[in-house]
Amino acid sequence: MIIQGKLRNRLLGWLMSMMLIVGGLLLIDAWVTSQRSAQRAFDSQLEDALLAMSEAIQWQDDMPRIMMPPAALSILSTRHQERVFYRLIDDQGRVLANNLDIPLASKLKREAREGDVWLDTDYQGVKWRLHARSVRSAGWERQFRVQIWVGHTTEGRELLARDLLIRAVGRILVMGLLAVVMIFITLRLALTPLKRLRDQLRRRQSQDASPLSGSMPEEMRELVDTLEQLFHRQGASRDALLRFTADASHQLRTPLAGVQNVAEFALQSRSPDEWHQALSDIHASAARTSRLAGQLLNLTRLRHLALPAEHEVVELSALLRDVVLEWTERDMALQHDLGLASLPDSPISVLGEEWALRELIGNLIENALRYTPAGSEITLGLTLETDKVVLYSEDNGPGVAPEMLERLCQPFERGGRQDTEGSGLGLAIVETIAQRHQGTLQVSNRLEGGLHISLTLRQFPTGEADA
């Protein structure tokens, strides 16, 4: 397993990234809000100034004048703006009152006659905000409309917007710091169950397969269940290993004890014939013990050997033919009718390990030879089922009691037979090889008598092999 940093750091990184994104959005919103707030505040000030001026218009010498003291204008200003400038224009375009020197285009004056005008402009390197409205001189001797233009520089707006933004940024930073502290505390509390689980696993003895103790959050249920299943499988595997070791010790001790007894008897005898017989018995017992040790090694190697990265394409029909022909020439098969059923005309290939499949076929043949009487027929063959191939072995021997069929592939299981020299490991090796090839092994009694063993494997298409 590749370790890629700490979970806490990864969670913290994700949370901080999201906080930075949210913080950036909040800063953008604070900037927009501060600009809008300052704009509304100062636009409202201009509107109030224009309204106050329209109410302060009076006639002098048959001309409208704004009779508004400077103190009244200063009331309309804020601490960011000292003055509100204005201009009064009649409907003929003549300036009646003015302290606003910004030139106004004719188009703007026409627009002011039709409605309110707002204008942002630059004059002599200074930014200005202007507002204009046309009002009627109702109640005077002469009835005509006049335009009132008011304005001020945007410095006050910018200062107010900056103050509002600084305050908003300050609040965002304080909330961000509090959020960071809360995130650290939350992560520490959230990862506490994992630390408790880690400590419990560290204190756990290697042979302990009991369920985990203590309380865990619901989100860790699957992890805890998976660990407990792992402990259960380890416990079952350890128990099976202990049983296998005990059975293997018993199987090895029995022939060794026989060798010891025969040797002690020969040492007490004075007869050369008895010595010769004892040596023959010791030789036969050593051969059986050597065969048993070899099968134990094969079974252990198959159960603990890592699976290959890639399987090879094995031509199963040719392999089956070679193994059967090889066994027919052995002395063990001379008293049996060992044969091969008709094979399909086209080659049959599977993905697997040739040496393991050869071992499997050999164990099927040897198992049938050892557990059937002399003269029995033993037949091996292949059949096709859609995209699968079935390798089978059948005989016309005595078969096995139905209640023992399920246990027949367990190590040292002889199907209740004690009258043979079989070790009870042949079918265990066959089942292990079948599992390595993801095959399905079935053992059953034939209706006409004897045992039928079949292995179903996925067929490898010949076209793919040729490609």
Coordinates of all heavy atoms in Angstrom, one line a residue, residues 360-396:
L360 N -2.6 -30.8 -11.4 CA -4.0 -31.1 -11.1 C -4.4 -32.4 -11.8 O -5.0 -33.3 -11.2 CB -4.8 -30.0 -11.6 CG -6.4 -30.1 -11.4 CD1 -6.9 -28.7 -11.1 CD2 -7.0 -30.6 -12.6
I361 N -4.1 -32.6 -13.1 CA -4.5 -33.8 -13.8 C -3.8 -35.0 -13.2 O -4.4 -36.1 -13.1 CB -4.1 -33.6 -15.3 CG1 -4.9 -32.4 -15.9 CG2 -4.4 -34.9 -16.1 CD1 -4.5 -32.1 -17.3
G362 N -2.5 -34.9 -12.9 CA -1.8 -36.0 -12.3 C -2.4 -36.4 -11.0 O -2.5 -37.6 -10.7
N363 N -2.8 -35.5 -10.2 CA -3.5 -35.8 -8.9 C -4.8 -36.5 -9.1 O -5.2 -37.4 -8.3 CB -3.6 -34.6 -8.0 CG -2.3 -34.3 -7.2 OD1 -2.1 -34.9 -6.1 ND2 -1.5 -33.5 -7.8
L364 N -5.6 -36.0 -10.1 CA -6.8 -36.7 -10.4 C -6.6 -38.2 -10.8 O -7.3 -39.1 -10.3 CB -7.6 -36.0 -11.5 CG -8.2 -34.6 -11.2 CD1 -8.8 -34.0 -12.5 CD2 -9.3 -34.8 -10.2
I365 N -5.6 -38.4 -11.6 CA -5.3 -39.8 -12.0 C -4.8 -40.6 -10.9 O -5.3 -41.7 -10.6 CB -4.3 -39.8 -13.2 CG1 -4.9 -39.1 -14.4 CG2 -3.9 -41.2 -13.5 CD1 -3.8 -38.9 -15.5
E366 N -3.9 -40.1 -10.1 CA -3.4 -40.9 -9.0 C -4.4 -41.1 -7.9 O -4.5 -42.2 -7.3 CB -2.2 -40.1 -8.3 CG -1.5 -40.8 -7.2 CD -0.3 -40.1 -6.7 OE1 0.0 -39.0 -7.1 OE2 0.3 -40.7 -5.7
N367 N -5.3 -40.2 -7.7 CA -6.4 -40.4 -6.7 C -7.3 -41.5 -7.1 O -7.7 -42.4 -6.3 CB -7.2 -39.1 -6.5 CG -8.2 -39.2 -5.5 OD1 -8.0 -39.1 -4.3 ND2 -9.5 -39.4 -5.9
A368 N -7.6 -41.5 -8.4 CA -8.5 -42.6 -8.9 C -7.8 -44.0 -8.9 O -8.4 -45.0 -8.6 CB -8.9 -42.3 -10.4
L369 N -6.5 -44.0 -9.2 CA -5.7 -45.3 -9.2 C -5.6 -45.8 -7.7 O -5.7 -47.1 -7.5 CB -4.3 -45.1 -9.7 CG -4.2 -44.8 -11.2 CD1 -2.8 -44.4 -11.6 CD2 -4.7 -46.0 -12.0
R370 N -5.5 -45.0 -6.7 CA -5.3 -45.4 -5.4 C -6.6 -45.8 -4.7 O -6.6 -46.7 -3.8 CB -4.6 -44.3 -4.5 CG -3.1 -44.1 -4.9 CD -2.4 -43.2 -4.0 NE -1.0 -43.0 -4.4 CZ 0.0 -43.9 -4.1 NH1 -0.3 -45.0 -3.4 NH2 1.2 -43.6 -4.5
Y371 N -7.7 -45.3 -5.1 CA -9.0 -45.5 -4.4 C -10.0 -46.4 -5.2 O -11.1 -46.4 -4.8 CB -9.6 -44.2 -4.0 CG -8.9 -43.5 -2.9 CD1 -7.9 -42.5 -3.2 CD2 -9.1 -43.7 -1.6 CE1 -7.2 -41.9 -2.2 CE2 -8.4 -43.0 -0.6 CZ -7.4 -42.1 -0.9 OH -6.7 -41.5 0.1
T372 N -9.5 -47.0 -6.2 CA -10.3 -48.0 -7.0 C -9.6 -49.3 -7.0 O -8.4 -49.4 -7.0 CB -10.6 -47.5 -8.4 OG1 -9.3 -47.2 -9.1 CG2 -11.4 -46.2 -8.4
P373 N -10.4 -50.4 -7.0 CA -9.7 -51.7 -7.1 C -9.1 -52.0 -8.4 O -9.4 -51.3 -9.4 CB -10.9 -52.7 -6.8 CG -12.1 -51.9 -7.2 CD -11.8 -50.5 -6.9
A374 N -8.2 -53.0 -8.5 CA -7.6 -53.4 -9.7 C -8.6 -53.7 -10.8 O -9.7 -54.4 -10.5 CB -6.6 -54.5 -9.5
G375 N -8.4 -53.4 -12.0 CA -9.3 -53.7 -13.1 C -10.4 -52.6 -13.3 O -11.2 -52.7 -14.3
S376 N -10.4 -51.6 -12.5 CA -11.4 -50.5 -12.6 C -11.1 -49.7 -13.9 O -9.9 -49.5 -14.3 CB -11.4 -49.6 -11.4 OG -11.8 -50.4 -10.2
E377 N -12.1 -49.1 -14.4 CA -12.0 -48.2 -15.6 C -11.9 -46.7 -15.1 O -12.7 -46.3 -14.3 CB -13.1 -48.3 -16.5 CG -13.2 -49.7 -17.2 CD -14.4 -49.8 -18.2 OE1 -15.1 -48.8 -18.3 OE2 -14.6 -50.8 -18.8
I378 N -10.9 -46.1 -15.6 CA -10.7 -44.6 -15.2 C -10.6 -43.9 -16.5 O -9.8 -44.1 -17.4 CB -9.4 -44.4 -14.4 CG1 -9.5 -45.3 -13.1 CG2 -9.2 -43.0 -14.1 CD1 -8.1 -45.3 -12.3
T379 N -11.5 -42.9 -16.7 CA -11.6 -42.1 -17.9 C -11.5 -40.6 -17.7 O -12.2 -40.1 -16.8 CB -12.9 -42.4 -18.7 OG1 -13.0 -43.8 -18.9 CG2 -12.9 -41.7 -20.0
L380 N -10.6 -40.0 -18.4 CA -10.5 -38.5 -18.4 C -11.0 -37.9 -19.7 O -10.8 -38.6 -20.8 CB -9.1 -38.0 -18.0 CG -8.7 -38.2 -16.5 CD1 -8.2 -39.6 -16.3 CD2 -7.7 -37.2 -16.2
G381 N -11.5 -36.7 -19.7 CA -12.0 -36.1 -20.9 C -12.3 -34.6 -20.8 O -12.2 -34.1 -19.7
L382 N -12.6 -34.0 -21.9 CA -13.0 -32.6 -22.0 C -14.3 -32.5 -22.7 O -14.6 -33.1 -23.7 CB -11.9 -31.8 -22.7 CG -10.6 -31.7 -22.1 CD1 -9.6 -31.0 -23.1 CD2 -10.6 -30.9 -20.8
T383 N -15.2 -31.5 -22.2 CA -16.4 -31.2 -22.9 C -16.5 -29.7 -22.9 O -16.0 -29.0 -22.1 CB -17.6 -31.8 -22.2 OG1 -17.7 -31.3 -20.8 CG2 -17.6 -33.3 -22.2
L384 N -17.3 -29.2 -23.9 CA -17.4 -27.7 -24.1 C -18.8 -27.3 -23.7 O -19.8 -28.0 -24.0 CB -17.2 -27.3 -25.5 CG -15.7 -27.5 -26.0 CD1 -15.7 -27.1 -27.5 CD2 -14.8 -26.7 -25.2
E385 N -19.0 -26.2 -22.9 CA -20.3 -25.6 -22.6 C -20.2 -24.1 -22.8 O -19.7 -23.4 -22.0 CB -20.6 -25.9 -21.1 CG -20.7 -27.4 -20.7 CD -21.0 -27.6 -19.3 OE1 -21.1 -26.6 -18.5 OE2 -21.2 -28.8 -18.9
T386 N -20.8 -23.7 -24.0 CA -20.8 -22.3 -24.4 C -19.3 -21.8 -24.4 O -18.5 -22.2 -25.2 CB -21.7 -21.5 -23.5 OG1 -22.9 -22.2 -23.3 CG2 -22.0 -20.2 -24.1
D387 N -19.0 -20.9 -23.4 CA -17.7 -20.3 -23.4 C -16.8 -20.9 -22.3 O -15.9 -20.3 -21.8 CB -17.8 -18.8 -23.1 CG -18.5 -18.4 -21.8 OD1 -19.2 -19.3 -21.3 OD2 -18.3 -17.3 -21.3
K388 N -17.2 -22.1 -21.8 CA -16.5 -22.8 -20.7 C -16.1 -24.2 -21.2 O -16.7 -24.7 -22.1 CB -17.4 -22.9 -19.5 CG -17.7 -21.5 -18.9 CD -18.5 -21.7 -17.6 CE -18.9 -20.3 -17.1 NZ -17.8 -19.4 -16.8
V389 N -15.1 -24.7 -20.5 CA -14.6 -26.0 -20.8 C -14.6 -26.8 -19.5 O -14.2 -26.3 -18.4 CB -13.2 -26.0 -21.4 CG1 -12.2 -25.2 -20.5 CG2 -12.7 -27.4 -21.7
V390 N -15.0 -28.1 -19.6 CA -15.1 -28.9 -18.4 C -14.1 -30.1 -18.5 O -14.2 -30.9 -19.5 CB -16.6 -29.5 -18.2 CG1 -16.6 -30.4 -17.0 CG2 -17.5 -28.4 -18.1
L391 N -13.2 -30.1 -17.6 CA -12.2 -31.2 -17.5 C -12.8 -32.2 -16.4 O -13.1 -31.8 -15.3 CB -10.9 -30.7 -17.1 CG -9.8 -31.7 -16.6 CD1 -9.4 -32.6 -17.8 CD2 -8.6 -31.0 -16.1
Y392 N -12.9 -33.5 -16.8 CA -13.5 -34.4 -15.9 C -12.7 -35.7 -15.8 O -11.9 -36.0 -16.6 CB -15.0 -34.7 -16.3 CG -15.1 -35.5 -17.5 CD1 -15.1 -36.9 -17.5 CD2 -15.2 -34.9 -18.8 CE1 -15.2 -37.6 -18.7 CE2 -15.4 -35.6 -20.0 CZ -15.3 -37.0 -19.9 OH -15.4 -37.7 -21.1
S393 N -12.9 -36.3 -14.6 CA -12.4 -37.7 -14.4 C -13.4 -38.5 -13.7 O -14.1 -38.1 -12.8 CB -11.1 -37.6 -13.4 OG -10.7 -38.8 -13.0
E394 N -13.6 -39.7 -14.2 CA -14.7 -40.6 -13.7 C -14.1 -42.0 -13.7 O -13.3 -42.4 -14.5 CB -16.0 -40.5 -14.5 CG -15.8 -40.9 -15.9 CD -17.1 -40.6 -16.7 OE1 -18.0 -39.9 -16.2 OE2 -17.3 -41.2 -17.8
D395 N -14.7 -42.8 -12.7 CA -14.3 -44.2 -12.6 C -15.5 -45.1 -12.2 O -16.6 -44.5 -11.9 CB -13.2 -44.4 -11.5 CG -13.6 -43.9 -10.2 OD1 -14.5 -44.5 -9.6 OD2 -13.0 -42.9 -9.7
N396 N -15.3 -46.3 -12.3 CA -16.4 -47.3 -11.9 C -16.1 -48.0 -10.6 O -16.5 -49.1 -10.4 CB -16.7 -48.2 -13.0 CG -15.5 -49.1 -13.3 OD1 -14.4 -48.9 -12.8 ND2 -15.7 -50.1 -14.2

